[in-house]
């Protein structure tokens, strides 16, 4: 069943002297429960694409169709996890996680009940009362994911959530991410510039072309889970993705 | 503060007072122009013993608090409006920048005309001198919020007033504090200046009396008091708030 | 309660802690005002230190009556809406002098060129007199292309600068004139009254808001009587006046003047309720020639409030 | 600024003036308390035509420039000393915080005593009100320099004065600018306040004359001039410097 | 010939309640022209060690011996390239590169002659007049290296200079770094947490133990150059380094 579809998304940006066409008609179909990894050269418009789906930015042409209906604004069924986490430093961890619930007017008790579940899932219970600066980068990323999951969205939009992590922490989260996906059966769009990451996580890897970007190729991934980053079976797949990516990166330089 | 620092500090102030006493005892300046620390201390003690000092301090502080409270409340509202509504920013905003550069003392003549020789007049001068600093800092603070915060909040369903109180104001708070601090500095200057010109109770009035009577030692005594109160507010209230916010933001 | 609206039961009076204001100081300290008005009105004294501030407060209706010099009185009358500020009575005459610094050689007006001469605020009576005196003697102030430097500064600052030797001379009211002479060895070149016909000119006046006056004829009538009686008492009891004045200074400012300063200062001015109308008209002419009265010309019609011919007072008198 | 913004701004100010005129023509306040914009304009024109306005502006600006220059130079030296020598920071530093909270108007009586009724006195008041803001911001700026800059510089052989002029001051410059800005705000307030109390030429003097003669429309006219100059300095000089520094630092 | 030697370097740091022993007696001998890569768990004291050699920090015990003489202060023969680059934002690229020369009082013409050579070597000539914010992260790193090389130090101390770079730029610089080293014959100490990087660059890889740190093992690397990150020959070496490293990282967690 098609959960989310984008049709001919075009996006221009004004730069000083000219108009930059960032997205040049992006068509993508995402099934319910898909885990789609998006890769592409730096600056090709991956973040912009996610932001358009989230409703944080308006496309110049094309439309985003969710459950068969076009959407144009933000909505609690499409929640984004930002690359920098964008946790609120003035709130404690638990209050960060409960933020969306509070905005929705859910009473305090109910809120803490829900947040407890996700803090648990993310192994953050001990840090519920900490401020965000007291967390390591990996822990912050987990809070950001918990904050998104709490909203119980149909679609989770993740923009390079692991880019700032060191290798050890990233390996850990790669495993956790797969578990979460299996547990919650969410539909996930996951942007990364790390090919190995895409191969480990995705049910499908979509490669963006250089600007004006389209989706150049979609590669299905069918290995059994949990997959590990070191997994030698994935090497071939990584090479395949890289082969698609390399000429685009060249063009972009 | 460790013992050596404390000792250094005490030594410094003792040397300062001794130097002062020496200069005043030498005949470089006549005594009525350059009083000795002893005379200043005597004046302070006298004003303290007849209660006029504490009454003056109390009056000034009360006016300051009311004026500053008005300035902060008004400044925040105006700052938020300017940051959220572009038309207000383009129109009233440009005026605010101008009003901000009118020294609060320049408002005194108008304040007397409009409010008479009343507390209201002094509070008006105090508040108007401080309000625009708060406004500008609130505005800058909101404009400088990491857009990711706002987007994340909108994405999670925050809207309207909720967005302002739950996200914009707390996120802009570190900036706003420096607005409050600047506001306090202007308010403090404003209240003393207004009292000096209104000559209507308070520390500024005592300063003016010293001046009217050519009593330099009273002038210096009141300046010391003004300075100590200023130091106390800066050092206790603002330092505390700043430290708290900074540490919560993980900056310290 | 110090708000802007007139309150029938309260009379708010402005005055300075200054020897020329002996009438209100004594009237209030001795309780004369209070006892004369006892059953109808509470006296609320308000102390000021400059005329323009008194006028501003009259405009803002935060006081009802006030004691000021002729300069501010004229200004107040002309600048007020419907000439609301009017002169009720005189309070003192004379009492200003030209004092020369001991180190300065000024023996007559011929020596004024290039000198630094101080007078209180712009538009104040001494300021008007000084500037007029210069122009009568074909001298111009520095800012008008002349050579005499006029410094308009408050009296206490004149004292300070005089002490430092920054001034050559000062045109000041009592008691400052005497203080400069006694404390700082200043030389009194002349008394201002020497320049006036009969040696008299109004130096302190009782003014008020016409609105208040016509609405409260009874209070004002009684107050004026008390004002007159206090003046008489002062003239009969100069020694007691000195003691009262000094106690008052000690109480309100925390300091007093020496007896000899007060005695000499009191002797140099005349406490009188005569408002010397001709001197006020002269002041206005002089102020106008100095551009102090606006650009549209001026008229003093109605500046002297005439109780005898005012309707509300006529009724009051009949009763 | 695009055309719509400009049009909005102009419309806003026109409406403001019309509103002002309407209120002053209605009888809410008497004319001597609330003059009409026409009267204020007339006063401005008159003062401009007889030259007194421009002479006043010139005098004030000259004093401001000298005072501010002294404040900036002195503030930088003191700030650097405090940041580099811990003993100075612990002793003089604690005093600076206190002196900073004395409103510059409170210095006027002493300035008259010490310097008489001279430009020096006014410049003293202007400079002393601004200097400690520069000092504190220079100090904070140097203390907040990324230590890597200093280490890299030392590693490449920078020492002593070279280190201060080539690394510490340029690295602290963004902070120092806000010190200059604050210093300017205080200096502007200081110079007007001092002129008002000294009553010795300049814009503050003209304000005082308006006040002494109970001429509200002159008071408002001078306030407008003060406001316009303040806006010009903020909008042209500081905005330009800030933009330049910000863009060089890559912050904009 | 031994260029640089550290003997029993011990370093304590005061933390709130206790003294933390970061370095527990580090002994290292570096030959002239060596390219030593230092790896170790996060927080073990690698940066501290480099800073002590540079003279930016004093050891609590032990000494640094350079050309047979103990050194305790900074000196132009030991120049550090900081992880963050630490370029001066108020100076143009060329002025950044010439900074050390200017401090040494070398006249302007001579300076620009020298800096030109190194800007050339780093392919930065076109950007000599740019400000640092106008450069990409990779270019900034190259400026930092040029700024160090200009000083013509005997020993170059590099603290994770490539950590902030994306994969493509890093691969490029890995090659360039080897070329520079071959051209200039500098002695280099290079800290990294990336095992592949260490294997590609070093003539020797020194593995730090967990706190209080010592050098646990030194592994010589003898493959021919230029080596590439993908080089399959290096896989074995990487495994060897990882095997040493893994237990230390575990201990540190
Ligand atoms: N607000 C904006 N204003 C102008 N141009 C923009 C804006 N946002 C994005 N762009 C431009 O659009 C293009 C796509 O940006 P986007 O951030 O979506 O790229 P990306 O694929 O996420 O890159 P990266 O992998 O580096 O994060 C870039 O060339 C960028 O310069
Ligand atoms: N200035 C300091 N004050 C207190 N402790 C410090 C200081 N500098 C370093 N440390 C401590 O010393 C230890 C070593 O720090 P160092 O920065 O040298 O580690 P590192 O090996 O470079 O780590 P990384 O790989 O994360 O950069 C750490 O535990 C750190 O907390
Ligand atoms: Mg992106
Ligand atoms: Mg390190």
């Amino acid at each position: 069943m098609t959960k989310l579809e984008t049709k001919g998304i075009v996006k221009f940006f004004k730069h000083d002297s000219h108009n930059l066409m960032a997205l040049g008609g992006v068509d993508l179909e995402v099934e319910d429960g898909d885990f789609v990894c998006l890769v592409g050269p730096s600056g090709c418009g991956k973040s912009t694409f996610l932001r358009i789906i989230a409703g944080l930015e308006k496309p110049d042409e094309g439309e985003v169709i969710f459950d068969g209906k076009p959407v144009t604004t933000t909505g609690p069924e499409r929640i984004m996890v930002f690359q920098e986490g964008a946790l609120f430093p003035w709130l404690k961890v638990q209050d960060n996680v409960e933020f969306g619930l509070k905005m929705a007017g859910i009473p305090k008790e109910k809120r803490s009940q829900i947040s407890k579940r996700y803090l648990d899932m993310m192994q953050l219970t001990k840090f519920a009362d900490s401020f965000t600066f007291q967390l390591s980068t990996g822990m912050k990323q987990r809070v950001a994911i918990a904050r998104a999951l709490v909203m119980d969205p149909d679609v989770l939009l993740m923009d390079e959530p692991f880019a700032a992590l060191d290798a050890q922490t990233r390996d850990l989260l790669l495993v956790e991410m797969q578990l979460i996906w299996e547990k919650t059966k969410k539909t996930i769009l996951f942007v990364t510039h790390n090919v190995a990451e895409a191969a480990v996580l995705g049910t499908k890897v979509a490669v963006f072309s250089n600007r004006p970007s389209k989706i150049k190729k979609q590669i299905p991934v069918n290995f059994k889970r949990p997959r590990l980053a070191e997994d030698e079976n994935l090497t071939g797949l990584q090479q395949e993705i890289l082969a698609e990516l390399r000429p685009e990166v060249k063009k972009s330089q | 503060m460790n013992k050596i620092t404390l000792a250094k500090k005490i030594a410094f102030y003792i040397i300062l007072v001794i130097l002062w006493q020496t200069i005043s005892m030498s005949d470089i300046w006549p005594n009525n122009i350059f009083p000795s620390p002893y005379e200043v201390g005597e004046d302070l003690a006298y004003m303290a013993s007849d209660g006029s000092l504490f009454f003056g301090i109390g009056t000034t502080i009360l006016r300051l608090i009311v004026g500053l409270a008005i300035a902060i409340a008004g400044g925040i509202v105006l700052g938020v409006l300017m940051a959220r509504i572009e038309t207000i920013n383009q129109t009233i905003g440009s005026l605010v920048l101008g009003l901000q550069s009118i020294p609060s003392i320049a408002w005194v003549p108008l304040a007397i005309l409009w409010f008479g020789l009343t507390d209201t007049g002094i509070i008006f001068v105090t508040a108007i001198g401080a309000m625009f600093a708060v406004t500008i800092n609130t505005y800058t603070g909101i404009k400088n919020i990491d857009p990711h915060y706002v987007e994340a909040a909108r994405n999670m369903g925050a809207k309207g007033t909720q967005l302002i109180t739950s996200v914009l104001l707390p996120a802009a708070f570190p900036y706003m504090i420096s607005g409050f601090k600047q506001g306090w500095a202007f308010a403090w200057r404003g209240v003393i200046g207004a009292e000096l010109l209104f000559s209507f109770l308070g520390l500024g009035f005592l300063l003016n009396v010293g001046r009217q009577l050519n009593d330099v030692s009273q002038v210096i005594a009141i300046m010391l008091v003004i300075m100590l109160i200023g130091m106390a507010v800066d050092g206790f209230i603002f330092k505390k708030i700043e430290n708290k916010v900074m540490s919560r933001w993980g900056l310290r | 309660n110090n708000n802007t609206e007139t309150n029938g039961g309260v009379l708010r009076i402005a005055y300075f802690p200054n020897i020329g204001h002996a009438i209100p100081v004594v009237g209030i300290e001795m309780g004369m005002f209070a006892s004369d008005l006892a059953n109808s009105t509470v006296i609320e004294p308000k102390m000021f230190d400059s005329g323009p501030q008194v006028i501003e407060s009259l405009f803002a209706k935060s006081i009802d009556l006030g004691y000021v010099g002729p300069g501010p009185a004229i200004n107040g009358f002309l600048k007020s809406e419907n000439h609301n500020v009017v002169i009720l009575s005189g309070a003192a005459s004379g009492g200003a002098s030209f004092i020369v610094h001991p180190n300065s050689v000024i023996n007559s007006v011929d020596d004024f060129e290039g000198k630094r001469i101080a007078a209180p605020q712009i538009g104040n009576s001494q300021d008007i007199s000084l500037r007029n005196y210069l122009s009568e003697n074909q001298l111009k102030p520095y800012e008008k292309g002349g050579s005499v430097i006029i410094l308009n500064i408050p009296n206490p600052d004149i004292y300070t600068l005089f002490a430092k030797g920054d001034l050559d001379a000062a045109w000041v009211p009592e008691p400052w004139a005497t203080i400069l002479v006694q404390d700082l060895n200043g030389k009194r070149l002349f008394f201002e009254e020497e320049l006036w016909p009969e040696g008299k000119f109004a130096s302190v006046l009782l003014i008020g808001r016409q609105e208040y006056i016509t609405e409260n004829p009874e209070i004002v009538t009684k107050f004026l009587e008390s004002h007159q009686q206090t003046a008489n008492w002062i003239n009969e009891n100069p020694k007691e006046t000195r003691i009262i004045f000094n106690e008052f200074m000690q109480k309100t400012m925390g300091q007093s003047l020496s007896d000899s300063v007060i005695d000499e200062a009191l002797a140099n001015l005349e406490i009188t309720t005569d408002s010397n109308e001709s001197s006020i008209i002269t002041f206005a002419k002089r102020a106008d020639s100095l551009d102090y009265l606006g650009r549209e010309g001026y008229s003093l019609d109605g500046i002297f409030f005439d109780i005898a011919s005012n309707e509300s007072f006529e009724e009051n008198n009949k009763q």
Side-chain angles (χ1 to χ4, degrees), chain A, chain B, chain C:
Chain A
M1 197 195 93
T2 303
K3 187 79 190 163
L4 184 82
E5 197 184 346
T6 69
K7 282 194 190 156
I9 301 275
V10 171
K11 180 76 190 176
F12 288 94
F13 281 111
K14 269 212 192 93
H15 279 223
D16 278 359
S17 51
H18 62 292
N19 271 348
L20 178 94
M21 188 175 188
L23 299 175
V26 183
D27 299 311
L28 182 69
E29 242 176 84
V30 183
E31 299 293 303
D32 197 8
D34 252 359
F35 196 140
V36 184
C37 289
L38 305 171
V39 299
S42 176
C44 74
K46 303 178 295 294
S47 300
T48 307
F49 183 60
L50 279 203
R51 293 163 50 77
I52 288 173
I53 294 176
L56 291 168
E57 196 118 34
K58 300 235 174 300
D60 291 307
E61 281 172 39
E63 51 182 2
V64 178
I65 294 162
F66 176 80
D67 273 346
K69 272 165 262 148
V71 288
T72 55
T73 57
T74 56
E77 71 285 351
R78 286 159 287 128
I79 295 292
M80 183 127 169
V81 179
F82 292 87
Q83 173 166 355
E84 304 77 8
L87 297 182
F88 302 135
W90 60 91
L91 295 180
K92 297 184 170 176
V93 165
Q94 179 168 353
D95 297 326
N96 258 293
V97 172
E98 291 178 10
F99 183 85
L101 303 175
K102 194 170 173 199
M103 292 300 112
I106 291 167
K108 200 173 160 61
E109 269 170 44
K110 180 91 182 148
R111 284 207 305 263
S112 72
Q113 206 177 312
I114 302 178
S115 68
K116 194 157 279 168
R117 197 166 79 239
Y118 289 96
L119 286 170
D120 234 38
M121 183 190 290
M122 291 291 153
Q123 305 183 331
L124 287 165
T125 316
K126 271 204 286 182
F127 297 92
D129 276 339
S130 302
F131 282 103
T132 57
F133 77 91
Q134 295 170 311
L135 307 181
S136 79
T137 327
M139 287 153 80
K140 274 188 209 153
Q141 217 41 261
R142 282 183 277 156
V143 177
I145 296 170
R147 189 174 68 168
L149 287 176
V150 145
M151 303 289 294
D152 196 20
D154 293 336
V155 178
L156 207 52
L157 306 163
M158 306 181 82
D159 192 4
E160 307 196 28
F162 304 159
L165 306 186
D166 69 80
Q168 286 95 336
T169 316
R170 180 197 306 244
D171 286 350
L172 226 104
L173 279 180
L174 281 180
V175 175
E176 274 182 40
M177 201 61 228
Q178 295 178 65
L179 294 175
I180 292 166
W181 174 73
E182 285 180 342
K183 260 196 246 172
T184 61
K185 287 291 160 215
K186 301 274 173 231
T187 309
I188 299 180
L189 269 77
F190 188 105
V191 169
T192 175
H193 66 257
N194 184 320
V195 170
E197 218 169 270
V200 169
L201 291 176
T203 54
K204 205 156 109 183
V205 176
V207 181
F208 274 76
S209 72
N210 188 34
R211 273 193 314 265
S213 314
K214 302 187 177 211
I215 297 206
K216 186 188 180 190
K217 178 135 193 191
Q218 301 195 29
I219 304 168
V221 190
N222 293 316
F223 296 97
K224 74 164 212 295
R225 294 183 189 263
R227 309 174 193 150
L228 295 178
E230 299 93 76
D231 212 325
E232 302 206 345
N233 295 320
L234 297 175
T235 320
L237 176 66
Q238 291 180 26
Q239 294 303 335
E240 191 183 341
I241 302 172
L242 274 174
E244 291 295 336
L245 203 51
R246 221 168 262 139
E248 302 303 326
V249 173
K250 277 242 172 73
K251 270 188 251 162
S252 79
Q253 277 167 352
Chain B
M1 193 153 53
N2 62 32
K3 276 185 196 161
I4 297 174
T5 317
L6 193 68
K8 266 192 211 162
K9 243 181 210 172
I10 293 173
F12 171 71
Y13 284 103
I14 289 176
I15 291 173
L16 214 63
V17 171
I18 291 175
L19 208 76
W20 177 5
Q21 179 77 45
T22 315
I23 294 177
S24 79
M25 283 189 336
S26 80
D27 277 339
I28 307 178
W29 287 295
N31 217 38
N32 57 347
I33 293 195
F34 198 92
S36 71
Y38 179 76
E39 287 168 290
V40 172
E42 224 177 23
D43 259 25
L44 266 183
Y46 180 77
M47 284 189 284
S49 70
D50 81 346
S52 64
L53 181 64
F54 302 111
F55 182 63
I57 292 177
T59 310
T60 301
I61 298 253
L62 196 72
R63 288 166 177 164
L64 176 82
I65 290 175
V66 178
L68 195 54
I70 294 173
I72 287 178
I76 289 177
V77 171
L78 198 55
V80 170
L81 286 175
M82 275 169 56
R84 299 298 293 171
I85 304 170
E86 193 46 58
T87 304
I88 291 189
N89 183 32
Q90 283 160 3
T91 54
I92 299 181
S94 67
L95 197 62
V96 164
L97 217 64
L99 290 173
Q100 153 74 353
S101 54
I102 295 184
S104 56
I105 204 170
W107 289 102
V108 170
L110 284 186
I112 292 182
L113 279 173
W114 291 344
F115 301 100
L117 209 68
T118 59
D119 274 332
T120 319
I122 295 181
I123 290 170
F124 169 79
V125 173
T126 310
I128 205 154
M131 187 160 89
F132 303 117
V134 178
T135 306
I136 290 175
N137 278 279
T138 304
Y139 171 80
T140 318
I142 291 181
K143 282 286 170 188
N144 277 296
I145 293 175
D146 183 341
H148 285 106
Y149 291 153
V150 182
E151 293 195 338
R154 275 174 55 207
N155 192 210
M156 287 184 289
K159 279 199 199 73
T161 330
Q162 247 186 349
L163 188 70
I164 292 173
T165 55
S166 305
V167 182
L168 297 185
L169 291 183
F173 202 65
Y175 268 91
M176 283 163 67
I177 283 188
S178 72
F180 299 160
K181 224 172 135 175
Q182 229 173 299
W184 132 255
F186 287 136
W188 185 232
R189 281 159 175 69
V191 75
I192 301 280
E195 286 176 349
L196 207 153
L197 289 185
F198 274 62
S199 197
F200 176 46
L201 307 182
L203 286 173
F205 166 74
L206 290 178
L207 203 63
N208 197 32
V209 169
R211 189 175 166 223
Q212 298 291 344
L213 298 173
N214 292 105
D215 185 346
V216 190
S217 77
Q218 172 159 346
V219 169
I220 294 182
I222 297 295
M223 284 179 73
L224 280 180
V225 172
I226 292 175
M227 176 166 152
L228 287 176
I229 295 177
M231 272 166 99
V233 172
D234 262 337
F236 294 109
I237 302 180
F238 283 105
K239 201 118 209 171
K240 286 241 168 81
I241 300 181
E242 242 175 6
N243 282 347
K244 195 155 180 185
V245 171
M246 287 291 176
S247 78
R248 175 170 290 199
W249 253 245
L251 295 175
R252 225 171 255 166
Chain C
N1 64 340
N2 42 12
N3 219 326
T4 50
E5 270 324 299
T6 322
N7 178 340
V10 178
L11 172 56
R12 297 166 298 178
I13 303 174
Y15 63 106
F16 305 170
N18 194 326
I19 191 69
H21 291 234
I23 294 182
V25 169
V26 171
I28 286 162
E29 294 303 307
M30 291 281 288
M32 292 164 181
F33 289 176
S35 68
D36 289 345
L37 289 161
N39 29 24
S40 58
T41 314
V42 180
I43 300 275
E44 202 178 279
K46 297 212 165 193
M47 235 182 300
F48 284 73
D49 57 23
S50 80
Q53 229 175 29
V54 175
I55 302 299
E56 282 163 356
S57 296
L58 281 169
F59 286 0
K61 299 183 187 170
S62 35
I63 54 170
D64 306 311
L65 302 180
Y67 289 85
V68 295
I74 293 166
N75 240 312
F77 171 74
L78 293 173
K79 302 272 165 71
S80 59
E81 190 83 347
N82 305 321
H83 296 325
N84 192 23
V85 173
V86 291
I87 297 171
L88 277 171
S89 167
S93 164
S97 300
F98 188 89
I99 312 293
V100 177
H101 195 272
N103 299 343
S104 187
V105 273
I106 298 183
N107 295 314
S108 74
V109 71
D110 302 333
D111 303 323
F112 277 23
E113 295 257 356
K115 296 294 194 295
R116 290 161 66 88
I117 302 174
Q121 321 83 317
I122 295 267
N124 143 299
S125 316
Q126 288 80 38
D127 171 59
I128 293 174
S129 296
L130 169 60
R131 288 175 191 270
N132 176 66
Y133 186 68
L134 291 184
S135 79
E136 276 179 356
N137 288 286
Q138 284 75 49
L139 289 167
K140 276 188 195 164
Y142 184 71
E143 66 268 22
K144 297 266 156 70
S147 68
V148 183
I149 300 166
I150 298 183
L151 302 163
N152 286 106
I153 39 177
N155 293 317
D157 295 336
I158 292 179
Y159 175 92
T160 306
L161 294 175
F162 205 88
K164 289 187 68 210
D166 277 0
L167 296 174
D168 291 298
W171 193 306
V172 282
E174 295 295 350
W176 293 99
T178 300
I179 292 174
L180 293 187
V181 171
Q182 290 196 6
D183 282 14
L184 303 175
N185 303 319
K187 192 177 74 191
R188 205 185 295 261
L189 192 63
F190 54 79
F191 292 96
E192 179 172 347
E193 45 266 42
E194 292 167 15
L195 307 175
W196 290 84
E198 297 169 42
K200 281 181 201 288
F201 68 96
S203 55
V204 181
L205 298 165
L206 172 62
I207 62 173
R209 291 190 290 124
Q210 191 154 14
E211 213 175 57
Y212 178 87
I213 295 166
T214 49
E215 279 165 16
N216 301 283
E218 247 170 285
I219 296 175
V220 173
T221 310
K222 276 195 190 144
F223 181 78
L224 282 173
E225 277 162 22
S226 183
H227 169 79
Q228 176 66 56
Q229 273 156 26
T230 308
N232 296 342
W233 189 89
I234 290 169
N235 284 321
E236 286 156 16
N237 303 285
K239 230 188 210 139
E240 285 81 353
T241 302
R242 186 232 299 150
I243 294 168
I244 291 164
F245 186 77
N246 244 347
E247 278 172 358
F248 161 77
M249 287 296 284
Q250 185 66 45
K251 191 177 78 189
T252 53
M253 312 287 277
Q255 264 193 9
S256 52
L257 298 170
S258 73
D259 290 353
S260 64
V261 165
I262 301 185
D263 286 339
E264 187 177 340
L266 258 180
N268 285 343
L269 51 78
E270 185 189 347
I271 299 298
T272 168
T273 58
D274 177 9
S275 54
N276 199 337
E277 303 191 0
S278 71
S279 73
I280 290 168
I281 290 164
T282 308
F283 263 122
K285 259 187 218 145
R286 292 175 177 176
D288 184 51
S289 71
L290 294 169
D291 260 357
Y292 286 173
L293 302 185
R295 294 181 288 280
E296 276 105 35
Y298 74 99
S299 150
L300 294 187
D301 289 351
I303 191 173
F304 301 103
F305 189 86
D306 188 0
I307 289 184
S309 62
N310 188 282
E311 305 171 16
S312 46
F313 281 84
E314 278 168 16
E315 281 164 33
N316 189 40
N317 292 341
K318 277 176 217 155
Q319 277 166 11

